[in-house]
Amino acid sequence: MTSPTATTARSRAGLWVVAICFVTIVFDGYDLIVYGAVVPSLLKNPDWQLTAAQAGAIGSYALTGMVIGTLCVGALTDIVGRRRIMFASIVWFSLAMGATALAPNPEVFGILRFVTGLGLGGVVPTAIALTVEYAPPHRRNFNNALMFSGFSLGGVLAAVLAINLVPTQGFRIMFWIGMAPLVLVLPLAWKFLPESVSFLQARGRHDEAAALAAKYGVQAEPVAVDTSSKWSALAVLFGRKHLAATILFGLASFFGLLLVYGLNTWLPQIMRQSGYPLGSSLRFLLVMNLGAIVGALAASTLADRFGSKVVTTVAFALAAFSIYTLSVNPAAAALYLLIAIAGLGTVGTQILVNGYVATHYPAGSRATALGWSLGVGRLGAIVGPLFGGWVLDSGLSLDWNFYGFAVPAVLGALVIAAVPRTGRERRPEPALGPTPQTTQA
């Protein structure tokens, strides 16, 4: 029988995984959302003379890099391991942020945002896969939302720092801050972040897997693929059983990330055009990301209890409602509430989609599935800033900014509602017992 002391030690060890992935995602969110925080300053920079459409294009460059990075790294994590990919990604995007701070013109700035995106692409699928694996079965959605709330906290950090630093220090200071993970995250990850138990098991490293399982109080899930092939995880995604879900999850991430990056890039500028000063418009970005943190944690608790499908569908619907209602000029208190709900329905909904993907597929293909859905979703992330820039330059009324972003929220709800259920979702997960024998790599 396991002693209370041993159980507590295992629980604390598992919390290190959540904490390290959380802090990494904070800077992932910061590095992406910081662009929306500095867009008003870039548009006013007399040396660069950017239009809204050009700023929208630059905003899409980092996301284009993330498409490539996520699709490649999502598969590589199931080949070389989660731990190595996490280290490489942290170093890559941190150094790229420092280089971006030195950009002499918008062309170089845009190229370096693309390079930053390549490194950022490896962070999300790896962090989600590790968090879900080291979470108790009944807390997987909640732990994933807790960890991924770091993305929104990164947005809060970007907004708060921009409010206080950009007016006096300029936009470059925001990118210098992006190098902080080299000092704050990498040493902790090197010491405390474990490799995936399921990855070790699939590679035939059973002694190492057993040692980690004992330390963290987890068991590797059965590997339901032929691990003699390094690309077997892809066969699971596109096999007959999961093909429909794989396509639908990609579409759901497309609509979810279009909302996330479209609004995080353009909300401050949209509110400035509505007559709010820079500081006030940045506060709307702050409220939206705070709403995402609180809403995602509450919604993920419901997802663990009632299932990811229904909760994620409702969250998309709330996004559509709140974004549409912003177009009717609500009173100040209602305005802030609706923006907070929009945070739940955009960033919070994408967190739910990620958790749904992570719990839908077997462990051996989990990171690859996340890499696929997020990689396809990054196409929506690219479209979001471009779309917002086009609308602002089109001469259409301000209402169209909201109408345009309400439509993908409705489509996202319809897509998630169509995802087929699996046997894993219809019945509670059994208590973890002895690990079944798996095929060695």
Side-chain angles (χ1 to χ4, degrees), residues 370-408:
L370 287 163
W372 157 262
S373 66
L374 289 168
V376 174
R378 297 300 174 192
L379 298 175
I382 293 168
V383 169
L386 290 170
F387 173 75
W390 176 81
V391 171
L392 264 70
D393 268 358
S394 68
L396 296 172
S397 69
L398 181 63
D399 290 347
W400 282 99
N401 290 285
F402 303 110
Y403 299 157
F405 285 117
V407 171

Side-chain angles (χ1 to χ4, degrees), residues 309-356:
K309 184 183 178 78
V310 62
V311 176
T312 308
T313 302
V314 171
F316 264 124
L318 284 174
F321 168 78
S322 61
I323 295 170
Y324 174 81
T325 308
L326 286 172
S327 68
V328 302
N329 298 318
L335 178 64
Y336 279 101
L337 177 60
L338 287 168
I339 289 176
I341 294 173
L344 161 64
T346 54
V347 179
T349 299
Q350 186 57 41
I351 291 173
L352 292 170
V353 171
N354 294 340
Y356 194 1

